[in-house]
Amino acid sequence: MRVTIAEVARRARVSKTTVSRVLNNKSDVDAATAVRVREVIAATGYIPSAGAVSLAKGRTRLVGVLVPALSPPGIGEVLQGVADVVEASDHSLLLSTTNRGADSLERFTRQVRAHAFDGLLLLDPPAAVTDNSALRDSDLPVVVIDGARAPFPSVAGDDAAGAAAVARHFLSRNRRRVAVVTGPGDRATARLAGFRSVLGEAGVPFADDRVAEAAFTAGSGRSAVRRLVASGLVFDAVFACDDVVAAGVLIGLREAGRAVPDDVAVAGFGDLPLSAFTQPPLTTVRRPLRALGEAAARRLLGKLLGDAGETPLTGPTVLPTDLVVRASAP
């Protein structure tokens, strides 16, 4: 059973108001009393709720942000968009990751149950987070970034439309024998579907043997294109569902003696900083990373602050993507 502020107060032999004052670092609490309260908090593992942290305010004025990790490319841009909006509203960010698997999920669950934040942004969350019973049973406002996870509203880029733009670009350059290097997850699935839909509308054959699986790493992109070459498949264009994977595809094609773009055109997805510096520079789809963070934060704060001018906190928000043409597929 979760430890309450009343239990902390009982064990420390003080009132709940005194516990709250200690949590808020008030100077009018006797030093010895404050030490005793903090020792009880440490011993019990108590996590303060919004009300316990600030009885006067009634809210934490914290926005929780949960991300898979901080290392994947593009996460910093999304978080910057979140920070720009949240900090301008006089709220602060409480950032956590799911890096540590079950331990991270347990800590996240404790924070949700303790109402450690007023609202929550989930960036590309795994099912273990969105299916978390504590989160679903709470009344916390939640917005998902880059993933439509029921029953939560979401903000995402139009990945299917971006991939469709790549397919149309290839066809406009008479590249009709195309291959795709895809990856795991909902976003890669949406990109592959958008790409295939345009080929189908154009009557261009596209069998499953033209799809190679990869993880979101350059090494897996290199291996995937090696498999395509070794299979004897004839192709004059490759769409990689991620820029990092596309960088590996370029290396694999170079090692196979295929010139880019003369023999094979290559396109990626994301417009990460590296895409302008590959050899040759990469044609890709620009995702609105900072705008995703900004839009998600605005939606969440609109709910928290009761701003009638904000988009209601239901359903998806989809932001447009743009095709950036460079030398790998001019």
Side-chain angles (χ1 to χ4, degrees):
M1 187 172 66
R2 182 171 69 87
V3 177
T4 65
I5 191 172
E7 177 65 12
V8 171
R10 185 187 68 79
R11 294 193 186 196
R13 303 185 304 280
V14 298
S15 68
K16 291 190 291 185
T17 300
T18 298
V19 175
S20 179
R21 288 182 175 280
V22 172
L23 291 168
N24 282 285
N25 295 312
K26 297 294 185 181
S27 60
D28 58 353
V29 180
D30 174 75
T33 300
V35 168
R36 188 167 71 251
V37 170
R38 293 192 181 282
E39 286 176 346
V40 172
I41 290 172
T44 59
Y46 170 68
I47 298 177
S49 68
V53 171
S54 180
L55 291 175
K57 293 181 180 178
R59 288 191 176 188
T60 65
R61 300 201 72 81
L62 284 176
V63 170
V65 183
L66 187 68
V67 302
L70 296 177
S71 55
I75 283 215
E77 275 292 293
V78 177
L79 291 177
Q80 187 61 60
V82 170
D84 288 345
V85 173
V86 170
E87 292 174 357
S89 73
D90 198 29
H91 283 68
S92 298
L93 294 174
L94 180 63
L95 177 65
S96 303
T97 76
T98 57
N99 260 339
R100 297 170 59 229
D103 288 343
S104 296
L105 184 60
E106 182 180 350
R107 176 181 173 81
F108 169 72
T109 300
R110 291 199 307 267
Q111 291 175 332
V112 169
R113 286 176 174 158
H115 294 277
F117 27 68
D118 296 335
L120 184 61
L121 297 171
L122 303 175
L123 177 55
D124 193 20
V129 170
T130 53
D131 293 341
N132 184 285
S133 59
L135 180 60
R136 284 176 175 257
D137 294 341
S138 76
D139 58 357
L140 277 171
V142 178
V143 175
V144 174
I145 306 173
D146 262 348
R149 304 283 187 176
F152 304 118
S154 64
V155 175
D158 196 342
D159 285 4
V166 173
R168 285 192 290 270
H169 180 71
F170 281 165
L171 294 178
S172 73
R173 302 303 191 267
N174 202 31
R175 307 275 185 166
R176 303 176 67 86
R177 296 174 295 181
V178 299
V180 174
V181 179
T182 190
D186 295 341
R187 280 182 286 165
T189 299
R191 293 168 194 176
L192 176 59
F195 189 85
R196 295 185 84 144
S197 67
V198 170
L199 298 182
E201 292 168 0
V204 175
F206 188 79
D208 288 342
D209 64 352
R210 292 187 170 272
V211 179
E213 297 287 337
F216 287 128
T217 66
S220 67
R222 178 187 184 190
S223 297
V225 83
R226 281 178 168 179
R227 294 196 303 274
L228 290 172
V229 171
S231 72
L233 183 74
V234 177
F235 58 92
D236 58 12
V238 176
F239 170 46
C241 290
D242 176 81
D243 281 351
V244 175
V245 175
V249 168
L250 291 172
I251 294 171
L253 289 171
R254 187 159 55 245
E255 292 173 342
R258 306 287 182 89
V260 177
D262 294 345
D263 299 329
V264 182
V266 176
F269 206 107
D271 196 29
L272 298 175
L274 69 87
S275 62
F277 301 99
T278 57
Q279 292 299 322
L282 186 64
T283 289
T284 185
V285 176
R286 178 176 295 145
R287 302 185 69 238
L289 297 177
R290 186 170 297 203
L292 288 174
E294 293 170 347
R298 281 196 299 269
R299 290 197 66 180
L300 186 65
L301 289 171
K303 175 67 173 180
L304 296 180
L305 302 176
D307 187 342
E310 291 292 338
T311 303
L313 198 60
T314 57
T317 295
V318 180
L319 303 184
T321 53
D322 297 297
L323 182 66
V324 180
V325 178
R326 298 191 180 101
S328 70

